[in-house]
Amino acid sequence: MGGPVVLGIESSCDETGAGIVQDGRLLAHVVATSMDEHARFGGVVPEIAARAHLHSFNPVVRQALDRAGLRIGRIDAVAVTTGPGLSGALQVGLAGAKSVAYAAGVPLYGVHHLAGHVAADTLEHGPLPEPCVVLIVSGGHTSLLLVRDLVRDPIHHLGDTLDDAAGECFDKVARLLGLPYPGGPAIDRAARGGDPKAVAFPRPLTGPGDDPYAFSFSGLKTAAARWVEHHRRRGAEVPVADAAAALQEAVADVLTRKALAACRAHDVKTLVVVGGVAANSRVRALAERRCASAGIELRVPAMTLCTDNGAMIAAVGDLLVRAGAEPAPLDVSIDPSAPLEYASLTPLARRAVRIA
């Protein structure tokens, strides 16, 4: 028969995701994106995202159930992202998840979006080693974490971004270079034909007196903008491929350098890299090379699990159910700016799984 079957719902930004997990195994996941609708604005428009979630929610859940070969009555629990994210988008996902949980007569669990990214790796590589260092890199977040038991212990932040996240830097510089939104994949594609040594972009916060685990990509974005402006003032063509390759190299260098330093300082033998920017080819390649040299195991989820998806939320829900966590209260609500302290965003679950 197997353990409980958990349906996960993700709607924090512009992807509507539904995933189904049982005993750490991914049974199905489906993602609908409204990215094309936002592209002409150069970024996500909250109202468009919320409306797209309304249209996509039911079809995405139905497709996930169909792919898993299940009826709604076979679901034992529902997990949903309750923060952080866009307020309207989160509200749609939570309302839909509450409806499914009520209709199926099963408990509901509120999940932190970033904990979902961490849990995504378990669907590919199994349980997380305890402890491990986790590097989260996405459009809105760049963090270095020390993780023990993901759903029982507090999540310890070693360092976070002080301003622009890595993905945000890619998006903004891509726009300057005339590349399409989203900027991360566009930068990655353009960089294939460029020279990463063509431009000496800075490596922010890597000096002797800097915080070893904090991130800052605003200055890098500004340096790229000035470099582009310099070429345009002279009437020269901007070498887009070289700029993309050099920018990508700078970001990958900073991310992996700090992540490896954290592993060494805390005597941790496993680095987990997750989030949308974990799909970047240079970030992956440099992390692989540096981890191999340092004798550190590198774990990166499949690219389809790096970006926002319901499978990662189902993975957290699966862990919470198996840990005996209390479900969310009936009046559970969203928290668009929720800090990452615990995998669960519901106080009852938090008390139930905390270790004294």
Side-chain angles (χ1 to χ4, degrees):
M1 289 289 291
V5 177
V6 180
L7 170 68
I9 303 296
E10 157 61 24
S11 70
S12 64
C13 192
D14 59 342
E15 276 96 12
T16 311
I20 300 174
V21 171
Q22 181 183 34
D23 288 333
R25 293 184 302 110
L26 179 60
L27 303 184
H29 88 106
V30 176
V31 177
T33 179
S34 56
M35 189 178 296
D36 290 345
E37 299 177 56
H38 304 287
R40 59 196 176 103
F41 299 102
V44 176
V45 180
E47 292 81 3
I48 292 176
R51 191 159 54 246
H53 290 307
L54 278 170
H55 290 304
S56 299
F57 184 91
N58 285 339
V60 163
V61 171
R62 280 199 302 268
Q63 287 179 49
L65 289 167
D66 288 344
R67 290 184 185 180
L70 299 172
R71 296 179 181 272
I72 193 67
R74 184 64 182 84
I75 298 298
D76 297 298
V78 177
V80 59
T81 302
T82 48
L86 302 175
S87 178
L90 290 168
Q91 290 281 15
V92 173
L94 177 58
K98 283 182 175 181
S99 299
V100 173
Y102 179 79
V106 299
L108 179 72
Y109 294 83
V111 170
H112 196 288
H113 174 78
L114 296 182
H117 277 303
V118 179
D121 183 71
T122 67
L123 299 174
E124 177 128 355
H125 300 115
L128 294 170
E130 298 182 26
C132 61
V133 168
V134 178
L135 173 64
I136 299 180
V137 273
S138 67
H141 305 276
T142 304
S143 297
L144 262 177
L145 312 172
L146 185 64
V147 176
R148 293 184 172 86
D149 188 305
L150 180 62
V151 298
R152 286 186 169 90
D153 293 334
I155 296 170
H156 180 56
H157 288 245
L158 300 174
D160 297 283
T161 187
L162 304 178
D163 40 57
D164 288 0
E168 188 177 0
C169 177
F170 280 151
D171 284 340
K172 291 178 177 177
V173 176
R175 188 184 305 178
L176 291 170
L177 295 174
L179 297 173
Y181 175 86
I187 291 283
D188 202 352
R189 288 191 299 269
R192 293 169 192 163
D195 177 5
K197 297 180 181 179
V199 189
F201 284 137
R203 271 55 170 170
L205 293 184
T206 57
D210 292 326
D211 186 326
Y213 309 131
F215 298 95
S216 170
F217 293 104
S218 179
L220 177 58
K221 173 201 66 183
T222 301
R226 287 176 177 168
W227 183 84
V228 171
E229 289 168 7
H230 174 71
H231 278 75
R232 289 178 176 157
R233 274 200 306 268
R234 294 189 297 118
E237 183 179 349
V238 176
V240 172
D242 286 346
L247 178 78
Q248 184 172 261
E249 188 68 22
V251 170
D253 182 23
V254 171
L255 291 173
T256 56
R257 191 188 304 191
K258 288 176 176 281
L260 267 293
C263 289
R264 286 191 292 266
H266 293 272
D267 195 27
V268 170
K269 299 302 181 185
T270 303
L271 171 65
V272 182
V273 183
V274 297
V277 179
N280 178 273
S281 62
R282 185 54 185 158
V283 171
R284 284 176 173 251
L286 193 55
E288 287 173 5
R289 194 184 81 196
R290 288 181 168 173
C291 282
S293 297
I296 292 172
E297 178 193 13
L298 175 66
R299 294 177 34 155
V300 187
M303 292 181 69
T304 56
L305 294 175
C306 286
T307 51
D308 294 351
N309 61 84
M312 68 187 197
I313 304 305
V316 178
D318 175 59
L319 292 172
L320 287 168
V321 170
R322 288 192 281 153
E326 290 290 327
L330 293 176
D331 61 348
V332 62
S333 60
I334 64 166
D335 185 350
S337 57
L340 179 57
E341 298 172 343
Y342 291 86
S344 169
L345 278 179
T346 54
L348 286 177
R350 190 175 294 178
R351 286 198 298 269
V353 299
R354 182 180 294 176
I355 292 178

